[in-house]
Amino acid sequence: MDATTESPVIVALDFPSGDEALTLAGRLRPEQCRLKVGKELFCRAGPALVERLVDDGFSVFLDLKFHDIPHTVAAACRAAADLGVWMINVHALGGRAMMEAAQDAVQSRPRSPLLIAVTVLTSHGPETLQEIGLAADPQSQVERLSDLAQQAGLDGVVCSAREAQLLRQRWGDDGVLVTPGIRPAGSARDDQQRIMTPRQAMVAGSSYLVIGRPITRATDPHLALQEILRELGRA
Ligand code: C5P
């Protein structure tokens, strides 16, 4: 079954077991959100869980951030696409040839997911970038890698909501900008430093909002999602 949601909310299923992820997914509706499966859950529960979520009607963002030689990344992208997921990603630092190979691989499949790039991990600052030989400041490095992803034919990038306005100008209306670090007004910041509310992030130009703990740790996850959709005028 294909999901048909227009919801901009992607719920991050950051759980250490498939059972916990399925319990949470069971409390949400595919018409109201998409789901993100990252490295921990994928290593614990594997492709079977991803296929189960897809079969349950959810649009799944498989957030595995591939980064390897072009041949290997292309093969991984084909395998990911064949799980029926809605979106996958790679590291733009893998370079133009790697991203082009990834996009060709995705386009060769019967069900082509969106393909987006990670530019600079938000855990990096100027010193740690310098340490790995990237002398540019983080902001110009983000712009450079975002432009490279665009030239390689990708659909968009993961970025902080604070970068969304600038990157929206560079990508135009069609670029897919996926932003984490979202906190509804009044909810706990957890370990996120530079946050925006769902509405602020959409106004800044985000296409999709990755939201984890404000929904997954809520007493009533369905209600927490409803409140976010209401704030966005989509309830
Ligand atoms: O619980 P929370 O809303 O903070 O979860 C955010 C999700 O987005 C997590 O899965 C986290 O790994 C991911 N993420 C992030 N910051 C980035 C990239 C991804 O928080 N720069």
Side-chain angles (χ1 to χ4, degrees), residues 48-65:
L49 173 85
V50 174
E51 288 175 311
R52 165 75 190 273
L53 296 170
V54 172
D55 282 348
D56 286 348
F58 285 100
S59 291
V60 175
F61 170 22
L62 188 58
D63 178 21
L64 297 181
K65 301 186 183 71

Side-chain angles (χ1 to χ4, degrees), residues 1-198:
M1 190 198 318
D2 281 333
T4 53
T5 181
E6 295 302 317
S7 171
V9 177
I10 303 173
V11 179
L13 290 182
D14 292 325
F15 292 108
S17 75
D19 284 349
E20 286 166 89
L22 285 174
T23 300
L24 193 278
R27 301 176 76 180
L28 301 172
R29 302 227 305 265
E31 307 79 44
Q32 295 186 327
C33 65
R34 300 154 195 275
L35 301 176
K36 178 170 94 69
V37 174
K39 290 187 176 82
E40 181 190 16
L41 182 56
F42 191 76
C43 288
R44 295 274 177 207
L49 173 85
V50 174
E51 288 175 311
R52 165 75 190 273
L53 296 170
V54 172
D55 282 348
D56 286 348
F58 285 100
S59 291
V60 175
F61 170 22
L62 188 58
D63 178 21
L64 297 181
K65 301 186 183 71
F66 297 134
H67 185 178
D68 209 314
I69 59 172
H71 177 80
T72 302
V73 166
C77 288
R78 280 193 290 276
D82 291 347
L83 295 175
V85 297
W86 159 68
M87 183 158 72
I88 62 176
N89 59 0
V90 297
H91 270 286
L93 277 170
R96 185 193 300 271
M98 189 206 78
M99 288 193 278
E100 286 175 349
Q103 186 59 292
D104 286 349
V106 159
Q107 293 304 324
S108 73
R109 307 323 281 173
R111 289 181 294 178
S112 306
L114 292 172
L115 176 64
I116 62 172
V118 176
T119 56
V120 178
L121 293 171
T122 46
S123 48
H124 273 303
E127 296 83 26
T128 62
L129 278 188
Q130 190 112 42
E131 214 168 32
I132 58 169
L134 296 175
D137 70 286
Q139 181 63 42
S140 38
Q141 191 66 23
V142 166
E143 289 173 36
R144 184 189 189 103
L145 291 171
S146 168
D147 288 352
L148 189 62
Q150 194 174 14
Q151 291 157 18
L154 268 61
D155 296 297
V157 288
V158 182
C159 64
S160 115
R162 288 167 195 264
E163 295 157 0
Q165 198 169 3
L166 175 72
L167 295 184
R168 175 59 65 207
Q169 285 166 14
R170 296 175 96 91
W171 280 84
D173 289 344
D174 292 339
V176 174
L177 302 183
V178 177
T179 56
I182 305 298
R183 287 294 178 270
S187 71
R189 301 174 78 100
D190 304 304
D191 52 358
Q192 297 282 11
Q193 298 299 323
R194 299 163 71 226
I195 53 176
M196 274 201 189
T197 68

